Amino acid sequence: MALLRAATRRVVIFLVTVLVASAVIFGIVQALPGDVALATLGMGASPESVDALRVQWGLDRPLALRYLEWVVGMVHGDFGASYLTGQSVVSQIGPPLAVTAWLVGLSMPLSLLAALPLGLVGAMGRRRWFGVSVNAATHVGLAIPVFFVGAILTIIFAVKLRWVRANGYVPLTTSPGEWAIRLVLPVASIVIVQACFLARYVRAGFIDVLTEDYYRTARAVGWTRWRGLWRHGIRNVATSVVTVIGLQLASLLVGAILVEQTFAMPGLGSLLVQAVRRRDLMVVQGVGMLLVAAVLTVNFLVDLAYLAIDPRLKRGGRS
Amino acid sequence: MSVLRVRDLTVSFGRRHLVAVDQVSLDIEPGQRLGLVGASGSGKTVLASTIIGLLPDNAHVDGSVTFDGQELTTLPDREFSAIRGKDLTMVFQEPMTALDPTMRVGRQAAELVALHSESSQGTTRQLVVDVFDRVGLDQASRIVDAYPHELSGGQRQRVIIAMALINRPSLVICDEPTTALDATVQAKVLRLLDEELASVDAACLFISHDLGLVASLCSDVAVIHAGRIVERGRTEQVFHHPSHPYTAGLVATASIDKVRPGERLPVIEDFFDPSTVDSAPPSESTNRPHRRIRRSR
């Protein structure tokens, strides 16, 4: 029953947040300077033609009415249509979403996979040369902007060695080979930066464990240094790393734009920037709502992960 | 042959080589129980950590520790880990924090068996339940599935004792095993330790600042002060006829019931003037855990 109540609470919070977010997004988008009709027709257009276009797109009607229409539409799965092309927002978001989802969905797990050993080595060797050098390397990796990493990787692997392609995107369904060969560098760029970022949290988590009494117990019962630290430290590390991954996932969905631009990939971030530039407000609102939903979902999954990781949270009591 | 043989052991820390244990030698025979008493910071815990090989990275060790004839101070970690938890085990001071909070206690105990033998999972669980039962954990078959935070301090310390005994070690190091427990639980845990050590025929190095505990559990006692063993002998001999003034002070300060109302409580310094003795604490002593430290070499 407690579970059911918690689940109900979750759903209510989710709905309220989405509603509030929709109002905020709508408000901000409407407050943006510039006007889609004006932006479409150009600065030299006569006021009459601009007004005519505004009437044609329904922009002359009251804000509240347009907001209501938009919300009701979304409830029915209709996110509106682009003013410019008349295409539905859903069909416009689909393909870029796939690009970004692949990019983020592949690079986050790989980043974690790289960060775990880096952080473990950094923690265990924090007073020795190998740990210090790993730690220094992650700092350097963190200091380099992701587009710069992308540019360097492009020069080496796409221009000089010609192993992979560094521009554009081909859907998986069209050609798996082309898809893979074009995703390697963008994914690698994100992984390099993200792994360095995550490795710092992994390292800090493991260093905490090294000073814990239960790590000493683990050693006293016969675990060797490394295996004991992994076995009895990974859950402690997971708690903090899951939090960071949740935050990173959310920001990466849009933040991937730097990589998308570097590699000329038509992702979500690119779509958003393009839509803002053209004042294609329906698309901007749609992407905004999608991100809100994504962040909420990720947060929910993070909370679930906490429960799985730390048994003390299940009954709410700790001593 | 002695189960444990410590010779001229000196342990110092950091670049300045601050000495925490100084030229210590002691032997423990099979099945023997040696009490190690001394004030906080006298080097008791450092000595125990050295024996079991769990000193921090910045420690320097000189001298020799042999266990069942095997030199431990130079033993590689992998081989040392095979001994730890099997033949040489330790009961720690802090039952509240010594267990991994994210793992069921039965599983933590089962790890000891799995690490040191090839027995199958199924029999391991039964073994753990049996040992939990023996250390007086009621409903042992349920407690094996509990997480540490679901147990009381006394229960956790019983789990830790069970873990220290499960592989039938030849030496158990107990570092103030009852300090964190309240008085009634303390007595029970101590009686349990007494019985269980006897039942697996393990020798014991029992570290405490509580002379009463040591007297009730140990046949022999060594007194450590400022990193040095200042006196060693049969327990009743040492406590009734202390030969070193520091020991005399320890005994007197522990016998509070002999103080008449209104009279000032005795302090160690009534019996023992550190400045006149060779093993004087240093003037540069710091606030580190090992307060009585001295520069060596």
PDB file of all heavy atoms in Angstrom, chain B residues 198-211:
ATOM      1  N   ALA B 198      37.680 -20.249  23.475  1.00  0.00           N
ATOM      2  CA  ALA B 198      38.041 -21.557  24.018  1.00  0.00           C
ATOM      3  C   ALA B 198      37.554 -22.673  23.101  1.00  0.00           C
ATOM      4  O   ALA B 198      38.264 -23.655  22.858  1.00  0.00           O
ATOM      5  CB  ALA B 198      37.447 -21.717  25.415  1.00  0.00           C
ATOM      6  N   SER B 199      36.353 -22.512  22.538  1.00  0.00           N
ATOM      7  CA  SER B 199      35.792 -23.616  21.762  1.00  0.00           C
ATOM      8  C   SER B 199      36.531 -23.827  20.437  1.00  0.00           C
ATOM      9  O   SER B 199      36.589 -24.937  19.933  1.00  0.00           O
ATOM     10  CB  SER B 199      34.295 -23.395  21.511  1.00  0.00           C
ATOM     11  OG  SER B 199      34.114 -22.551  20.411  1.00  0.00           O
ATOM     12  N   VAL B 200      37.069 -22.761  19.838  1.00  0.00           N
ATOM     13  CA  VAL B 200      37.860 -22.983  18.623  1.00  0.00           C
ATOM     14  C   VAL B 200      39.353 -23.046  18.939  1.00  0.00           C
ATOM     15  O   VAL B 200      40.175 -23.169  18.031  1.00  0.00           O
ATOM     16  CB  VAL B 200      37.596 -21.905  17.535  1.00  0.00           C
ATOM     17  CG1 VAL B 200      36.143 -21.872  17.146  1.00  0.00           C
ATOM     18  CG2 VAL B 200      38.064 -20.537  18.001  1.00  0.00           C
ATOM     19  N   ASP B 201      39.684 -22.922  20.246  1.00  0.00           N
ATOM     20  CA  ASP B 201      41.063 -23.058  20.691  1.00  0.00           C
ATOM     21  C   ASP B 201      41.973 -22.016  20.052  1.00  0.00           C
ATOM     22  O   ASP B 201      43.079 -22.315  19.608  1.00  0.00           O
ATOM     23  CB  ASP B 201      41.578 -24.473  20.365  1.00  0.00           C
ATOM     24  CG  ASP B 201      42.657 -24.881  21.361  1.00  0.00           C
ATOM     25  OD1 ASP B 201      42.713 -24.250  22.436  1.00  0.00           O
ATOM     26  OD2 ASP B 201      43.430 -25.796  21.043  1.00  0.00           O
ATOM     27  N   ALA B 202      41.464 -20.777  19.996  1.00  0.00           N
ATOM     28  CA  ALA B 202      42.244 -19.719  19.373  1.00  0.00           C
ATOM     29  C   ALA B 202      43.018 -18.934  20.416  1.00  0.00           C
ATOM     30  O   ALA B 202      42.545 -18.731  21.530  1.00  0.00           O
ATOM     31  CB  ALA B 202      41.311 -18.768  18.616  1.00  0.00           C
ATOM     32  N   ALA B 203      44.210 -18.512  20.039  1.00  0.00           N
ATOM     33  CA  ALA B 203      44.945 -17.569  20.865  1.00  0.00           C
ATOM     34  C   ALA B 203      44.342 -16.187  20.658  1.00  0.00           C
ATOM     35  O   ALA B 203      43.612 -15.966  19.692  1.00  0.00           O
ATOM     36  CB  ALA B 203      46.417 -17.557  20.482  1.00  0.00           C
ATOM     37  N   CYS B 204      44.632 -15.271  21.594  1.00  0.00           N
ATOM     38  CA  CYS B 204      43.990 -13.966  21.488  1.00  0.00           C
ATOM     39  C   CYS B 204      44.926 -12.874  21.979  1.00  0.00           C
ATOM     40  O   CYS B 204      45.589 -13.014  22.998  1.00  0.00           O
ATOM     41  CB  CYS B 204      42.700 -13.968  22.321  1.00  0.00           C
ATOM     42  SG  CYS B 204      41.847 -12.387  22.341  1.00  0.00           S
ATOM     43  N   LEU B 205      44.993 -11.812  21.192  1.00  0.00           N
ATOM     44  CA  LEU B 205      45.625 -10.583  21.662  1.00  0.00           C
ATOM     45  C   LEU B 205      44.497  -9.623  21.969  1.00  0.00           C
ATOM     46  O   LEU B 205      43.787  -9.175  21.069  1.00  0.00           O
ATOM     47  CB  LEU B 205      46.556 -10.003  20.593  1.00  0.00           C
ATOM     48  CG  LEU B 205      47.238  -8.681  20.966  1.00  0.00           C
ATOM     49  CD1 LEU B 205      48.164  -8.856  22.159  1.00  0.00           C
ATOM     50  CD2 LEU B 205      48.000  -8.114  19.786  1.00  0.00           C
ATOM     51  N   PHE B 206      44.287  -9.365  23.278  1.00  0.00           N
ATOM     52  CA  PHE B 206      43.125  -8.594  23.697  1.00  0.00           C
ATOM     53  C   PHE B 206      43.570  -7.204  24.124  1.00  0.00           C
ATOM     54  O   PHE B 206      44.255  -7.033  25.123  1.00  0.00           O
ATOM     55  CB  PHE B 206      42.437  -9.316  24.859  1.00  0.00           C
ATOM     56  CG  PHE B 206      41.123  -8.718  25.245  1.00  0.00           C
ATOM     57  CD1 PHE B 206      39.951  -9.136  24.630  1.00  0.00           C
ATOM     58  CD2 PHE B 206      41.048  -7.726  26.218  1.00  0.00           C
ATOM     59  CE1 PHE B 206      38.723  -8.580  24.987  1.00  0.00           C
ATOM     60  CE2 PHE B 206      39.828  -7.166  26.571  1.00  0.00           C
ATOM     61  CZ  PHE B 206      38.661  -7.601  25.956  1.00  0.00           C
ATOM     62  N   ILE B 207      43.169  -6.228  23.309  1.00  0.00           N
ATOM     63  CA  ILE B 207      43.618  -4.859  23.556  1.00  0.00           C
ATOM     64  C   ILE B 207      42.546  -4.100  24.310  1.00  0.00           C
ATOM     65  O   ILE B 207      41.381  -4.127  23.923  1.00  0.00           O
ATOM     66  CB  ILE B 207      43.913  -4.159  22.221  1.00  0.00           C
ATOM     67  CG1 ILE B 207      45.067  -4.878  21.528  1.00  0.00           C
ATOM     68  CG2 ILE B 207      44.213  -2.701  22.435  1.00  0.00           C
ATOM     69  CD1 ILE B 207      45.291  -4.409  20.133  1.00  0.00           C
ATOM     70  N   SER B 208      42.949  -3.456  25.396  1.00  0.00           N
ATOM     71  CA  SER B 208      41.956  -2.719  26.168  1.00  0.00           C
ATOM     72  C   SER B 208      42.637  -1.709  27.066  1.00  0.00           C
ATOM     73  O   SER B 208      43.826  -1.814  27.368  1.00  0.00           O
ATOM     74  CB  SER B 208      41.130  -3.681  27.007  1.00  0.00           C
ATOM     75  OG  SER B 208      40.149  -2.979  27.716  1.00  0.00           O
ATOM     76  N   HIS B 209      41.884  -0.702  27.479  1.00  0.00           N
ATOM     77  CA  HIS B 209      42.396   0.158  28.532  1.00  0.00           C
ATOM     78  C   HIS B 209      41.719  -0.200  29.852  1.00  0.00           C
ATOM     79  O   HIS B 209      41.963   0.413  30.876  1.00  0.00           O
ATOM     80  CB  HIS B 209      42.165   1.632  28.187  1.00  0.00           C
ATOM     81  CG  HIS B 209      40.723   1.941  27.969  1.00  0.00           C
ATOM     82  ND1 HIS B 209      40.164   2.053  26.713  1.00  0.00           N
ATOM     83  CD2 HIS B 209      39.715   2.115  28.840  1.00  0.00           C
ATOM     84  CE1 HIS B 209      38.872   2.301  26.835  1.00  0.00           C
ATOM     85  NE2 HIS B 209      38.564   2.335  28.107  1.00  0.00           N
ATOM     86  N   ASP B 210      40.848  -1.218  29.798  1.00  0.00           N
ATOM     87  CA  ASP B 210      40.066  -1.611  30.976  1.00  0.00           C
ATOM     88  C   ASP B 210      40.726  -2.809  31.641  1.00  0.00           C
ATOM     89  O   ASP B 210      40.675  -3.932  31.146  1.00  0.00           O
ATOM     90  CB  ASP B 210      38.644  -1.953  30.531  1.00  0.00           C
ATOM     91  CG  ASP B 210      37.725  -2.165  31.725  1.00  0.00           C
ATOM     92  OD1 ASP B 210      38.216  -2.646  32.768  1.00  0.00           O
ATOM     93  OD2 ASP B 210      36.530  -1.874  31.593  1.00  0.00           O
ATOM     94  N   LEU B 211      41.359  -2.555  32.771  1.00  0.00           N
ATOM     95  CA  LEU B 211      42.120  -3.618  33.424  1.00  0.00           C
ATOM     96  C   LEU B 211      41.220  -4.748  33.889  1.00  0.00           C
ATOM     97  O   LEU B 211      41.598  -5.913  33.874  1.00  0.00           O
ATOM     98  CB  LEU B 211      42.878  -3.059  34.624  1.00  0.00           C
ATOM     99  CG  LEU B 211      43.840  -1.911  34.316  1.00  0.00           C
ATOM    100  CD1 LEU B 211      44.618  -1.531  35.563  1.00  0.00           C
ATOM    101  CD2 LEU B 211      44.788  -2.306  33.209  1.00  0.00           C
TER     102      LEU B 211
END
